[in-house]
Amino acid sequence: MKITFVTNARAPYRMKQLEKISEVDTFDVTVCYTDKNLQGRAWKVDEAKKIKEKQLNGVLLSKKYGYLNFGLIKLIKEADYIILGGYEQPTYIVLSIICRIIKKPYLLFFDGISTNRISMEENKLKKLLKGLVINNSKAIWGNGTVSREYFAKNFNYNRSKIVNQCLTVDIESIKKIIKDKNTIRSELRKKYNIQMNKKVIMYSGRLVEVKNLKIVIDAISQVKEEIVFFIAGGGLLEQEIINYSQQKNVHTIITGFIKDQNELFKNYSVGDVFILPSIYEPWGLVVNEAMATGLPVLVSEICGCSMDLVKEGENGYTFSPYNLDDLIEKINRILGSNTEEMGKNSQKIISEWNFNRSRDNFIEAIELAKYSK
């Protein structure tokens, strides 16, 4: 069975996921990339194993919506199933139309959407174009509860044909990398000049407006306990965050962008609690990473992953990213708990989100597509 995935760029989590799918003996997997920059962000990503990769030529129609690529009819004819990585990019829309005309089945794979988008009123024209792609998909391999709710409520898509993608990170590799967590923690805290008895709230990712990092600084400044805010990442707002932290008298450390994923995972050992305060976040794979390293989590209720990965009081808490008092209360509550035990709960929960389950659920989605009318 020839299966062709069409996505924008190569990413570390996607490669591991597709490699696991390619282990199925009856699958012949090809991945086609719409963007010219294969690596997407500045990740260090090895070439895929056991799967074929193709760069599609095309023209950039819009920075927001992406490319319209060439050779789409040939791509469709050579595959048994087309798997579309979205519904807004011109290439995805055109592929869905051609598939419908020549009666070639396609599925949609979807990484998630911010929870507030489930009930948000959409532009009618945009919703119509999305519906063209979504409603003619034979099945949806969508990530988590947020995907199921979004498609079912907004497009009246049959819930029984929405299968959890279980998008995740390489949990087992992360566990091996941080096997000697206490030693790594001690070495890195020494490197960053953080005393071992200090409580550390950490964030991992880009420093951009939608990540909403200033609310964390505001909250830490009002918590009685002295807390270090450790940021594993970098970005446009780096100096602004440093300046704001100084104004609020908050000890903030920024590592800068860490290109090597293995080194990044080690840096999670510095923290006692992980936080993701985003005001826009389709999923939040950094939460998967943090949980795999054994950290309790504080996650904005806007983040797509909040509906599945955060078990209130068990491995962390959700909070409103617009409510400072709510965040302060949740920080006090989690630091007053047994964070080590909550971290172990995180590892138990995230162990269910693995590449084997992702592969099995993809097989289920393909089976649904076979018999879908």
Side-chain angles (χ1 to χ4, degrees):
M1 185 184 296
K2 293 182 178 180
I3 298 174
T4 298
F5 287 83
V6 184
T7 187
N8 62 332
R10 186 187 289 138
Y13 57 88
R14 182 72 67 210
M15 289 300 96
K16 295 288 185 182
Q17 182 187 44
L18 296 182
E19 284 169 5
K20 181 59 67 173
I21 288 170
S22 72
E23 292 177 3
V24 179
D25 291 338
T26 55
F27 290 169
D28 180 2
V29 178
T30 300
V31 186
C32 294
Y33 301 106
T34 60
D35 292 6
K36 287 186 177 179
N37 177 13
L38 270 187
Q39 293 291 119
R41 297 179 196 162
W43 287 308
K44 179 184 176 183
V45 188
D46 296 329
E47 288 189 13
K49 300 171 184 175
K50 298 182 181 179
I51 60 177
K52 295 183 284 290
E53 295 182 283
K54 291 183 180 179
Q55 172 69 61
L56 300 177
N57 293 320
V59 291
L60 182 64
L61 296 187
S62 159
K63 285 187 178 180
K64 183 175 181 181
Y65 296 113
Y67 285 81
L68 175 60
N69 299 98
F70 308 137
L72 301 183
I73 294 176
K74 181 182 178 185
L75 183 154
I76 291 170
K77 287 183 175 179
E78 289 178 346
D80 295 311
Y81 286 91
I82 303 294
I83 319 295
L84 300 182
Y87 45 63
E88 291 184 308
Q89 193 165 315
T91 289
Y92 300 144
I93 296 171
V94 172
L95 278 170
S96 71
I97 293 170
I98 298 171
C99 281
R100 190 177 183 190
I101 291 170
I102 66 175
K103 302 188 185 313
K104 179 63 62 83
Y106 71 88
L107 290 76
L108 184 68
F109 77 89
F110 188 71
D111 292 346
I113 196 164
S114 295
T115 59
N116 59 340
R117 295 282 299 278
I118 295 173
S119 57
M120 188 180 292
E121 193 69 31
E122 293 196 67
N123 175 281
K124 290 184 179 180
L125 178 59
K126 283 179 67 176
K127 189 171 182 179
L128 178 65
L129 288 173
K130 288 180 183 180
L132 284 174
V133 182
I134 294 164
N135 293 320
N136 290 299
S137 175
K138 297 298 183 183
I140 296 177
W141 193 43
N143 204 31
T145 300
V146 69
S147 295
R148 186 175 68 247
E149 295 303 305
Y150 176 67
F151 291 118
K153 290 182 178 179
N154 289 278
F155 296 92
N156 200 30
Y157 196 89
N158 188 338
R159 288 176 182 269
S160 67
K161 297 199 298 181
I162 305 172
V163 181
N164 188 2
Q165 184 194 159
C166 267
L167 184 65
T168 191
V169 293
D170 194 344
I171 296 164
E172 293 306 315
S173 290
I174 291 174
K175 286 181 179 179
K176 291 176 183 176
I177 291 165
I178 61 155
K179 187 176 181 181
D180 194 359
K181 185 176 179 178
N182 289 335
T183 300
I184 297 170
R185 178 182 175 89
S186 178
E187 290 173 351
L188 288 176
R189 283 206 172 201
K190 185 177 180 180
K191 173 184 175 181
Y192 295 116
N193 197 26
I194 304 172
Q195 295 175 14
M196 291 300 292
N197 64 336
K198 293 287 186 184
K199 294 292 185 182
V200 175
I201 293 178
M202 81 159 291
Y203 161 84
S204 175
R206 296 175 296 149
L207 275 62
V208 292
E209 290 289 350
V210 295
K211 300 302 182 179
N212 195 32
L213 296 175
K214 286 184 179 178
I215 196 174
V216 183
I217 296 167
D218 287 335
I220 290 173
S221 72
Q222 295 187 43
V223 172
K224 290 183 179 179
E225 188 169 359
E226 189 177 346
I227 298 168
V228 176
F229 186 26
F230 180 72
I231 297 173
L236 296 173
L237 301 183
E238 188 168 330
Q239 191 56 53
E240 187 176 327
I241 293 296
I242 290 294
N243 293 341
Y244 193 72
S245 298
Q246 290 172 347
Q247 292 173 24
K248 294 291 183 176
N249 198 30
V250 171
H251 183 190
T252 298
I253 296 169
I254 302 176
T255 66
F257 180 70
I258 302 172
K259 189 172 184 178
D260 189 311
Q261 290 272 294
N262 291 352
E263 288 304 312
L264 173 62
F265 298 146
K266 288 179 182 178
N267 274 265
Y268 282 92
S269 300
V270 173
D272 296 293
V273 173
F274 181 83
I275 191 164
L276 185 60
S278 306
I279 56 173
Y280 170 78
E281 195 76 57
W283 184 256
L285 275 175
V286 288
V287 176
N288 297 59
E289 294 174 356
M291 290 172 64
T293 65
L295 286 177
V297 293
L298 291 171
V299 180
S300 159
E301 63 191 16
I302 297 293
C303 300
C305 70
S306 66
M307 300 179 79
D308 290 286
L309 301 187
V310 186
K311 309 298 181 185
E312 297 289 325
E314 184 178 337
N315 76 313
Y317 298 97
T318 58
F319 63 93
S320 167
Y322 304 107
N323 188 329
L324 178 60
D325 290 337
D326 185 26
L327 178 54
I328 292 170
E329 193 271 329
K330 296 296 170 56
I331 288 175
N332 282 324
R333 193 186 299 185
I334 202 166
L335 291 180
S337 306
N338 186 335
T339 54
E340 187 174 343
E341 188 62 31
M342 293 182 87
K344 289 178 181 178
N345 291 337
S346 278
Q347 287 184 313
K348 290 177 185 176
I349 293 165
I350 205 63
S351 66
E352 297 296 318
W353 290 71
N354 56 63
F355 293 125
N356 286 335
R357 185 179 172 199
S358 184
R359 174 203 58 207
D360 293 345
N361 287 2
F362 179 74
I363 295 170
E364 181 183 345
I366 288 289
E367 289 299 312
L368 284 170
K370 281 183 182 178
Y371 304 105
S372 177
K373 293 182 181 180

